[in-house]
Amino acid sequence: MKSPGSGRRFTLGFAGVLTGLLALAYGNSFGVGFLFDDAWGIAQNPAIRSFASVPRYFVDPFLLTPVRENVDVRPVLMISFALNYAVSQLSPWSWHALNVILHFASALLVFFCVRDHVWWPREERGADGAARWPAAAAALFFALAPLNQQPVVYMWARSALLCTALSLGAFLAFLKERRALSAALFALALLTKAIAAILPLLVVVYLLLERRKVGKSLWPLLAVLAAYLSYRALLLPAWSEDARHEIWVTRWIWLMSGWTSYLYYARLFVWPDALSVDHDFAYNLAFFTWRTLLSLAAVLGWIGFAAAGARRRPAVAFATAWYFLALAPETTLSPISEVINDHRPYFASALGLALLLAWVLWTAARHLVRRPEVALAALTLCACAVATPVVRQRNWIWQDGLRLWLDAEEKGPGNGRAAMNAGRELMARGRLDEARARFVRARELMPENPYLYMNRSVLESAQGHPEAAVEEARKAMDLAPHNPIARKYYERALSAGGAETLMERGLDALYRRSDPRAAVEAFARVLGKDPQHYGATFQSAVALERLGRKDEARRMWVKSAEMAGRYGDEATAQTAREHLGK
């Protein structure tokens, strides 16, 4: 016979264990700074530096980040950024504190959802029921999974943290029949990240498994979703969807690649050996390949098993549906920048993979031992004891940009981006020869990447090779002729060089950009260094003539003809005479 307060004591004890384990696992994460997209969306974003900008968050999607291509509607996320900036500016402690609190809240919501609502048989639910044991296990698996570490330490991935906490809150409020609260939390989740749009479908799955009618209770969520989709369509430019992925990645390629990524994330949840800031994960480009077909067969087999046993194993059916549907917006429907990203399955793992793992262990314990709750508690704590040092190790790696990219390079030997970015970090630290070796490796792996040549241009300039710096920058421009960043690197290489580099700049202005004024300035600088520079004399004459400065051009043509005569260059002498005769 259970004592009347046993359920409450269990809940308090669970909350204490969760708090202690999270403090142990993430205690060393507060030293992680602002990395990658944090630089644009946080450190260099003036919009988050004053609460006066908050109303504009809701009407100007370009405030999310100064990078125009990353336009999106996430005002609630931006409010959280503004709050952190008001508390500690760019000192990361308050940012990490809020992230850990959100992670704790999400794990607690997983516990209450499983204990009271998404566990079968129904008679085991409740504070004093047997469901509290697998509920606690699922919440701890979710909280300590190394796969879920990235959204806790990476500031820009807070969108996944905050959206998950709000979505779980909306789901739990719906199950408790608090419709107004559920709709309000759902609206906040949508205004944090669009993946929350899948929540009404997750609610439908639950109602079907509970054999309840899908009736008027769903209308508040659907009304919020319809309003959000209209609001989003009104604010976002038509090109925003295409800006999120490579031009050649079609929806069909993304869908086929998603089949493999579902399996890959599930594997990382239970065996996190390949966690990385940049996964070397290939797209599935064709349907009739073994990788694509086997992935599809495995996914269909998993879903088929769960669906076929929905009446006998509703927990498995619900967890499977939650996992696949929660990941669907980013993994199968909307192409984005990478096939795999460690923070993407955070929402899907909450009542998906974590619940599945808890169900498997609980079911096995019930069949094998007399006291399954003791066995499950022991297995769960052992898993947490193994996961905690892995999480701490990942936190340590995230504290240093070079460690991050060296780790990614080790996990993906064929990953050219990892080699290139490791080279960038080495170059920033003055380890130029090591950086060069990384860039050579990156060129072997991705010879058509313009950003590699931009970095090589900087390295050549740093090692005192101005002409080589220009050549590398030109390669970047040839690969990405309309990329303004490539043009910027090219101009920088030209301006930093000697006479030959200035000649390149003048020729580029005269013949590529049709800007004779800039060409005249560049050639004048060359002649200032070397008044007898043959090429600068001739090209100055051409540029001055195009500008209509005939007297100056004539003097240069005369000088060019004289120099051509001395060098025995009859072709150039003839050209100069023709221009003088006009």
Side-chain angles (χ1 to χ4, degrees):
M1 186 76 113
K2 297 183 181 71
S3 63
S6 64
R8 184 172 179 273
R9 288 195 298 272
F10 183 93
T11 301
L12 291 175
F14 160 73
V17 171
L18 176 63
T19 301
L21 287 173
L22 285 180
L24 183 61
Y26 288 98
N28 68 332
S29 69
F30 284 55
V32 177
F34 298 93
L35 301 164
F36 314 124
D37 288 340
D38 295 344
W40 308 107
I42 297 174
Q44 299 176 33
N45 190 352
I48 68 165
R49 297 179 185 177
S50 169
F51 286 123
S53 300
V54 168
R56 294 176 57 212
Y57 298 165
F58 292 85
V59 296
D60 188 352
F62 291 96
L63 291 183
L64 179 65
T65 164
V67 179
R68 186 175 176 81
E69 293 77 10
N70 291 348
V71 59
D72 206 349
V73 183
R74 298 182 182 182
V76 173
L77 175 66
M78 294 190 70
I79 290 171
S80 78
F81 288 163
L83 176 64
N84 278 128
Y85 191 85
V87 172
S88 67
Q89 285 75 52
L90 294 179
S91 178
W93 67 267
S94 79
W95 301 77
H96 286 293
L98 181 54
N99 279 11
V100 173
I101 290 170
L102 290 171
H103 188 47
F104 173 84
S106 295
L108 209 55
L109 287 166
V110 168
F111 171 75
F112 286 120
C113 284
V114 175
R115 188 194 71 177
D116 299 334
H117 300 282
V118 297
W119 187 257
W120 290 266
R122 297 179 185 85
E123 58 269 19
E124 294 184 358
R125 295 174 185 170
D128 296 312
R132 58 184 175 168
W133 293 97
L140 289 171
F141 292 148
F142 169 76
L144 276 299
L147 177 61
N148 289 337
Q149 175 266 353
Q150 188 182 111
V152 184
V153 301
Y154 180 26
M155 309 301 186
W156 192 249
R158 178 182 292 174
S159 56
L161 273 179
L162 185 53
C163 180
T164 297
L166 292 168
S167 296
L168 289 171
F171 183 68
L172 183 59
F174 182 91
L175 302 186
K176 289 180 173 292
E177 299 185 355
R178 301 179 66 179
R179 304 292 187 244
L181 177 61
S182 176
L185 290 172
F186 180 45
L188 293 174
L190 288 167
L191 294 173
T192 300
K193 196 171 186 180
I195 61 170
I198 203 69
L199 185 64
L201 189 53
L202 297 171
V203 170
V204 169
V205 170
Y206 175 79
L207 293 176
L208 292 174
L209 288 170
E210 281 286 281
R211 301 183 188 179
R212 291 197 223 164
K213 289 183 178 180
V214 181
K216 295 181 180 179
S217 63
L218 202 61
W219 282 110
L221 295 182
L222 294 177
V224 169
L225 178 59
Y228 170 75
L229 292 176
S230 300
Y231 162 74
R232 184 178 176 85
L234 182 66
L235 286 184
L236 289 179
W239 50 261
S240 61
E241 181 71 18
D242 292 333
R244 295 189 179 96
H245 61 86
E246 299 282 357
I247 296 174
W248 57 270
V249 178
T250 65
R251 289 185 182 275
W252 177 240
I253 290 174
W254 190 256
L255 176 63
M256 292 189 296
S257 303
W259 302 334
T260 310
S261 65
Y262 274 119
L263 305 174
Y264 188 68
Y265 284 134
R267 173 225 158 171
L268 288 179
F269 187 79
V270 296
W271 191 256
D273 63 315
L275 295 178
S276 172
V277 72
D278 189 338
H279 290 263
D280 184 24
F281 196 88
Y283 288 90
N284 292 341
L285 301 177
F287 182 77
F288 292 105
T289 65
W290 283 112
R291 188 173 189 257
T292 304
L293 292 173
L294 288 175
S295 297
L296 178 59
V299 166
L300 292 177
W302 181 351
I303 295 173
F305 172 80
R311 290 197 174 186
R312 290 180 292 113
R313 298 182 297 271
V316 173
F318 176 81
T320 297
W322 183 283
Y323 175 62
F324 281 95
L325 290 174
L327 257 176
E330 292 183 314
T331 300
T332 60
L333 302 179
S334 180
I336 42 184
S337 55
E338 307 105 356
V339 182
I340 295 294
N341 205 309
D342 284 356
H343 65 259
R344 201 169 291 158
Y346 184 82
F347 180 34
S349 70
L351 292 175
L353 297 176
L355 177 55
L356 274 174
L357 182 56
W359 180 88
V360 168
L361 295 178
W362 177 247
T363 302
R366 277 187 155 176
H367 282 88
L368 297 175
V369 298
R370 183 171 296 179
R371 298 190 61 188
E373 64 277 7
V374 175
L376 180 63
L379 287 171
T380 300
L381 291 176
C382 285
C384 292
V386 171
T388 297
V390 179
V391 172
R392 290 184 62 86
Q393 171 72 5
R394 294 299 302 168
N395 295 340
W396 175 78
I397 290 173
W398 271 79
Q399 289 173 11
D400 182 84
L402 179 58
R403 283 201 293 261
L404 259 178
W405 289 114
L406 292 177
D407 173 74
E409 192 179 17
E410 180 183 350
K411 303 284 179 58
N415 190 339
R417 291 184 308 272
M420 177 183 73
N421 287 311
R424 285 184 61 186
E425 289 288 341
L426 289 164
M427 184 167 60
R429 299 169 194 220
R431 295 159 63 177
L432 302 184
D433 291 336
E434 294 175 75
R436 181 175 292 279
R438 286 305 192 295
F439 290 151
V440 168
R441 175 64 177 156
R443 186 172 61 180
E444 294 171 357
L445 296 169
M446 50 178 198
E448 304 299 316
N449 187 299
Y451 293 96
L452 169 62
Y453 295 100
M454 296 179 208
N455 283 294
R456 287 173 62 91
S457 175
V458 174
L459 177 64
E460 296 292 1
S461 182
Q463 291 195 311
H465 309 140
E467 282 73 25
V470 172
E471 181 62 27
E472 296 292 344
R474 186 193 291 109
K475 290 176 184 175
M477 277 193 46
D478 290 342
L479 289 167
H482 303 296
N483 188 323
I485 302 176
R487 163 64 61 180
K488 177 181 175 182
Y489 274 77
Y490 186 56
E491 292 288 348
R492 183 184 299 169
L494 288 171
S495 63
E500 291 306 310
T501 307
L502 289 169
M503 279 298 299
E504 291 280 355
R505 185 177 188 180
L507 292 169
D508 177 75
L510 185 59
Y511 296 108
R512 281 197 185 189
R513 293 186 288 124
S514 298
D515 185 357
R517 189 177 303 279
V520 166
E521 293 175 1
F523 296 139
R525 289 179 63 187
V526 176
L527 292 170
K529 296 173 179 285
D530 179 7
Q532 298 302 311
H533 195 287
Y534 188 25
T537 302
F538 179 87
Q539 299 297 343
S540 288
V542 174
L544 288 165
E545 190 171 87
R546 289 189 183 182
L547 278 177
R549 292 159 60 175
K550 296 181 179 179
D551 290 341
E552 295 173 81
R554 182 176 181 80
R555 286 196 293 272
M556 284 297 175
W557 283 124
V558 169
K559 183 178 177 182
S560 183
E562 292 174 351
M563 295 175 74
R566 290 201 301 270
Y567 298 142
D569 184 356
E570 181 55 32
T572 301
Q574 179 61 30
T575 300
R577 287 194 295 268
E578 289 174 359
H579 282 271
L580 288 168
K582 289 181 181 179

